[in-house]
């Protein structure tokens, strides 16, 4: 599999990372019996009028003035005009699909405008530029210069019962002190029906938590979740990162949760429960380039759909038909993505497989055959070699079916499983599948993806032709965690789907940008979750000492 070496001249040493925090006021209420359930989607454009989705916030239930805890971390290039479009939707489905969502408004601006304003507030507008009611959006920009994050394991004990018939459904919100008030840094998940909750471990960037100052005040609020959106405050307390870390060095740090209104009314009031910080550790968060420069190899494999639904390659209507100019959608996708991959590649040797065809000499259907027909050496030299092998393979196979993705996914996952036996972030695998979108083994594919989500692996699917790609969009976990047919949830979203025809009239680099956009984040998320450091790293991913404070 082709291995990624040090990136070439595309790496810009002057890039600045900017974290964008989003909040809204007075959103349109699209629900009849409750309030809207808003989610913000960020799109960016640097070329023409084509927009690429960058990310999504969480969905906040029944709220017309949401403060989203998930931030967008963007590479800011001073010399480029980076157009941004923030769209707000009322999410009606459990998986967060935009297909059934109501549009609540959008804000268009540039990253430069946000950075220069630091806090930008503008009215939201409809797609036809009419006002979206009285809705506004506020975007707060903050440069990320600190690579440290703080790991937390937090629990509660004897929290107040807020529900009439039950206990409480507690969640926590972390805030840092700023000149203009408290700024949200993190929101935990809700733990249902439990006054002694244990929240999932989480990480907060140190800059978001305390601005890098361990003595800066942190406020932690504990709420009882209500589906109406009117959450009840259980209690609150203030502390500093320094106090938490000192208190949790030997034992868990315990803090009284105080409800000031209850304290004023009730004589003998002690507290509304205890928040227990069992683990608080400052660690270095490696970037994608830290892993690459530290010796991590990104291994690319290409899989090409040779099923009968593509049409007879000799017919001009076929997706595999190569016109007199040497063009078809498969070749265009290979060139566009491959040209970017080549810049990161050390030996420029790519394993390339076909699936869904009858192959010589037995003419049995194969779902993972090397297109150079050399099982012991399926590698093609450079993207030119991939194109040449594809052109030579076409007349030698019979397009057939069915369209099974799971064999090639499991093939690459096998190498990912072997790499996990090493105790460093030494290898990551990216599988590029180019297909016409008609998939047969959906249940097996879902299971294969769910299993692969716990391995150092990402899957990119480029859909060619004009088929119904709803199945591909289902596999892409942007709308919520993919589950196997038996209900097992994916550990993380590892699939990125892009329909080729959306990019047909765009510069070639736009397709590559969209296809590869999520890979760096997926690499970082996997290795940080597994606590794996780059093979050649000066800084271990353990405790990173905070700056000494003046005595």
């Amino acid at each position: 599999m082709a291995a990624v070496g040090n990136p070439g001249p595309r790496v810009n040493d002057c890039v600045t990372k900017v974290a964008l925090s989003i909040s809204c006021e007075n959103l349109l209420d699209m629900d009849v019996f409750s309030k809207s359930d808003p989610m913000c989607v960020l799109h960016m454009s640097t070329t023409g009028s084509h927009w690429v989705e960058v990310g999504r916030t969480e969905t906040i239930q029944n709220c017309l003035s949401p403060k989203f805890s998930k931030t967008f971390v963007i590479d800011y290039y001073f010399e480029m005009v980076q157009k941004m479009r923030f769209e707000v939707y009322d999410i009606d489905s459990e998986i967060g699909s935009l297909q059934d969502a109501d549009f609540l408004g959008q804000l268009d601006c540039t990253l430069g405008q946000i950075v220069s304003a630091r806090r930008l507030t503008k009215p939201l507008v409809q797609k036809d530029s009419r006002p979206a009611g009285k809705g506004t959006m506020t975007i707060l920009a903050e440069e990320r210069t600190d690579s440290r994050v703080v790991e937390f394991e937090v629990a509660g004990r004897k929290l107040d019962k807020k529900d009439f018939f039950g206990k409480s459904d507690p969640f926590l919100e972390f805030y840092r002190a700023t000149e203009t008030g408290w700024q949200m840094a993190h929101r935990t998940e809700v733990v249902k029906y439990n006054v002694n909750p244990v929240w999932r471990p989480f990480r907060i960037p140190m800059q978001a938590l305390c601005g890098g100052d361990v003595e800066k005040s942190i406020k932690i609020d504990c709420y009882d979740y209500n589906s109406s959106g009117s959450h009840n405050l259980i209690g609150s307390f203030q502390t500093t990162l320094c106090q938490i870390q000192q208190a949790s060095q030997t034992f868990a740090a315990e803090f009284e949760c105080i409800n000031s209104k209850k304290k004023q009314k009730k004589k003998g009031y002690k507290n509304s429960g205890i928040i227990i910080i069992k683990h608080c550790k400052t660690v270095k968060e490696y970037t994608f380039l830290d892993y690459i420069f530290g010796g991590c190899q990104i291994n690319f494999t290409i899989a090409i759909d040779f099923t009968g639904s593509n049409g007879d390659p000799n017919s001009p209507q076929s997706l595999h038909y190569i016109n007199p100019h040497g063009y078809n959608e498969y070749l265009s996708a290979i060139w566009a993505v491959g040209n970017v991959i080549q810049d990161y590649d050390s030996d420029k040797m790519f394993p390339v497989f076909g699936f869904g065809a009858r192959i010589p000499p037995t003419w049995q259907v194969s779902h993972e055959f090397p297109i150079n027909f050399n099982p012991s050496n399926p590698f093609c030299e450079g993207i030119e070699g991939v194109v040449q092998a594809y052109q030579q393979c076409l007349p030698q196979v019979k397009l057939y079916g069915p369209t099974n993705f799971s064999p090639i996914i499991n093939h690459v996952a096998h190498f990912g499983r072997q790499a996990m036996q090493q105790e460093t972030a030494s290898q990551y695998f990216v599988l590029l599948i180019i297909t016409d979108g008609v998939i047969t083994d959906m249940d097996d594919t879902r299971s294969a993806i769910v299993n692969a989500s716990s391995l150092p692996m990402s899957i990119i699917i480029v859909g060619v032709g004009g088929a119904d790609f709803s199945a591909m969009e289902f596999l892409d976990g942007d709308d919520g965690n993919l589950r196997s047919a038996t209900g097992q949830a994916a550990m993380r979203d590892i699939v990125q789907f892009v329909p080729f025809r959306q990019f047909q009239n765009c510069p070639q680099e736009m397709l590559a940008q969209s296809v590869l956009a999520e890979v760096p984040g997926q690499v970082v998320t996997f290795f940080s979750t597994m606590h794996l450091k780059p093979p050649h790293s000066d800084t271990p991913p353990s405790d990173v000492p905070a700056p000494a404070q003046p005595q």
Side-chain angles (χ1 to χ4, degrees):
M1 296 184 184
V4 171
N6 287 354
R10 289 171 185 254
V11 178
N12 189 327
D13 294 331
C14 300
V15 66
T16 301
K17 288 199 175 293
V18 177
L20 304 178
S21 302
I22 313 298
S23 60
C24 299
E25 295 281 344
N26 303 314
L27 293 177
L28 292 169
D29 193 357
M30 305 300 285
D31 293 346
V32 178
F33 298 109
S34 61
K35 298 173 184 174
S36 294
D37 307 321
M39 176 179 74
C40 181
V41 182
L42 172 59
H43 298 264
M44 290 186 66
S45 172
T46 54
T47 307
S49 59
H50 191 82
W51 296 88
V52 175
E53 182 178 322
V54 173
R56 304 179 181 191
T57 66
E58 75 277 19
T59 299
I60 297 182
Q61 300 290 324
N62 294 308
C63 185
L64 301 183
S65 296
K67 294 180 179 178
F68 299 103
S69 66
K70 183 178 178 180
T71 58
F72 300 115
V73 180
I74 307 296
D75 288 337
Y76 170 55
Y77 298 89
F78 176 78
E79 71 278 9
M80 287 175 58
V81 176
Q82 295 170 273
K83 292 186 287 186
M84 315 193 83
R85 173 169 292 164
F86 298 85
E87 296 178 340
V88 185
Y89 292 89
D90 172 25
I91 302 300
D92 292 321
S93 67
E94 288 187 9
I95 62 170
S97 172
L98 297 185
Q99 288 184 334
D100 307 318
D102 293 315
F103 184 72
L104 300 179
Q106 70 183 40
L107 186 159
D108 285 13
C109 60
T110 67
L111 184 53
Q113 288 173 321
I114 300 172
V115 168
S116 59
R118 289 200 62 191
R119 181 185 292 270
L120 181 71
T121 300
K122 282 192 169 186
L124 293 169
V125 298
Q126 300 278 13
K127 290 188 183 288
D128 60 4
S129 299
R130 290 183 298 112
K134 297 180 179 178
T136 63
M137 177 180 288
T138 298
I139 307 165
L140 179 67
E142 181 179 62
E143 183 182 1
R144 281 280 165 88
T145 56
D146 195 330
S147 63
R148 292 172 296 172
V149 297
V150 184
E151 295 178 340
F152 284 98
E153 292 180 18
V154 185
R157 185 174 70 239
K158 294 183 178 178
L159 299 179
D160 281 355
K161 296 178 182 178
K162 290 288 188 179
D163 296 342
F164 190 72
F165 292 108
K167 297 182 178 180
S168 282
D169 308 316
F171 67 93
L172 301 176
E173 290 184 346
F174 285 68
Y175 292 85
R176 85 167 189 276
T178 70
E179 295 173 357
T180 56
W182 294 102
Q183 174 66 36
M184 183 183 292
H186 184 78
R187 182 186 290 120
T188 69
E189 82 280 10
V190 176
V191 178
K192 289 280 192 178
Y193 316 120
N194 201 328
V195 294
N196 299 297
V198 177
W199 288 281
R200 290 195 296 264
F202 55 91
R203 288 178 157 204
I204 307 177
M206 192 168 179
Q207 202 164 344
L209 180 66
C210 60
D213 181 356
V214 297
E215 298 290 357
K216 182 169 279 190
S217 291
I218 299 167
K219 181 165 74 89
I220 301 175
D221 292 343
C222 182
Y223 285 94
D224 171 40
Y225 172 85
N226 285 317
S227 59
S228 66
S230 300
H231 310 307
N232 296 321
L233 179 69
I234 294 175
S236 179
F237 65 93
Q238 292 184 29
T239 183
T240 66
L241 181 57
C242 184
Q243 290 172 351
I244 296 172
Q245 291 184 324
Q246 287 178 352
S248 60
Q249 278 183 351
T250 51
F251 302 101
E254 297 192 355
F255 297 90
E256 288 188 305
C257 214
I258 303 298
N259 187 312
S260 56
K261 288 185 179 178
K262 201 170 178 180
K263 185 177 181 181
Q264 289 174 353
K265 293 179 181 178
K266 189 176 178 181
K267 286 186 177 181
Y269 172 84
K270 290 184 65 177
N271 59 56
S272 293
I274 304 295
I275 298 299
I276 308 158
I277 300 181
K278 299 187 290 184
H279 173 85
C280 178
K281 190 177 185 181
T282 304
V283 300
K284 172 181 169 61
E285 184 165 72
Y286 293 108
T287 66
F288 177 64
L289 289 183
D290 285 335
Y291 287 110
I292 298 302
F293 292 142
C296 178
Q297 293 185 330
I298 309 295
N299 303 291
F300 288 91
T301 301
I302 299 173
I304 300 173
D305 184 339
F306 285 98
T307 57
S309 55
N310 286 278
D312 180 359
N314 295 313
S315 167
Q317 281 73 46
S318 171
L319 293 168
H320 278 299
Y321 175 75
I322 300 175
N323 68 20
H325 302 289
Y327 169 91
N328 68 23
E329 291 189 19
Y330 279 90
L331 285 170
S332 294
I334 291 169
W335 276 116
V337 180
N339 279 335
V340 175
I341 291 171
Q342 281 199 137
D343 282 352
Y344 285 82
D345 183 68
S346 53
D347 62 6
K348 292 182 171 53
M349 298 296 289
F350 299 91
V352 186
F353 295 88
F355 59 91
R358 285 179 163 175
I359 62 172
T362 62
W363 300 107
Q364 295 293 310
V365 175
S366 174
H367 300 295
E368 48 172 316
F369 62 91
I371 67 170
N372 65 2
F373 300 104
N374 186 348
S376 62
N377 184 16
F379 295 89
C380 300
E381 187 174 349
I383 295 304
E384 293 86 353
V386 175
V387 170
Q388 185 178 7
Y390 166 72
Q391 291 170 330
Q392 292 174 351
C393 172
L394 260 180
Q396 298 185 63
V397 300
K398 294 178 180 177
L399 274 59
Y400 202 69
T403 307
N404 292 347
F405 280 13
S406 58
I408 190 63
I409 294 173
N410 291 330
H411 174 90
V412 178
H414 169 73
F415 293 97
R417 204 165 281 112
Q418 287 182 331
M420 285 296 289
Q421 295 173 10
Q422 304 176 40
E423 295 184 357
T424 61
S426 58
Q427 301 212 55
Y428 195 90
F429 298 84
V430 178
L431 170 62
L432 170 64
I433 301 175
I434 311 175
T435 179
D436 73 342
V438 183
I439 184 169
T440 310
D441 66 335
M442 178 57 85
D443 286 352
D444 288 343
T445 294
R446 286 164 62 186
S447 295
I449 292 171
V450 168
N451 292 334
S453 70
S454 60
L455 299 173
M457 179 173 168
S458 292
I459 301 168
I460 297 166
I461 303 174
V462 175
V464 296
D468 177 8
F469 287 121
S470 55
M472 301 298 132
E473 289 163 348
F474 172 75
L475 296 176
D476 188 333
D478 285 346
D479 292 338
N481 267 7
L482 177 72
R483 290 182 179 272
S484 69
T486 58
Q488 181 186 356
M491 189 183 94
R492 59 198 179 98
D493 172 22
I494 64 168
V495 177
Q496 167 78 341
F497 168 71
V498 176
F500 177 83
R501 291 201 170 175
Q502 285 187 6
F503 297 85
Q504 266 189 317
N505 300 316
C506 300
Q508 199 176 62
E509 59 267 21
M510 289 301 296
L511 173 64
Q513 180 184 340
S514 182
V515 163
L516 299 171
E518 294 185 10
V519 170
Q522 290 171 348
V523 171
V524 170
T525 299
F526 178 79
F527 287 134
S528 62
T529 301
M530 295 297 178
H531 301 286
L532 296 174
K533 64 177 182 177
H536 314 301
S537 170
D538 298 329
T539 310
S542 55
D543 281 329
V544 177
Q549 298 297 313
Q551 300 295 318

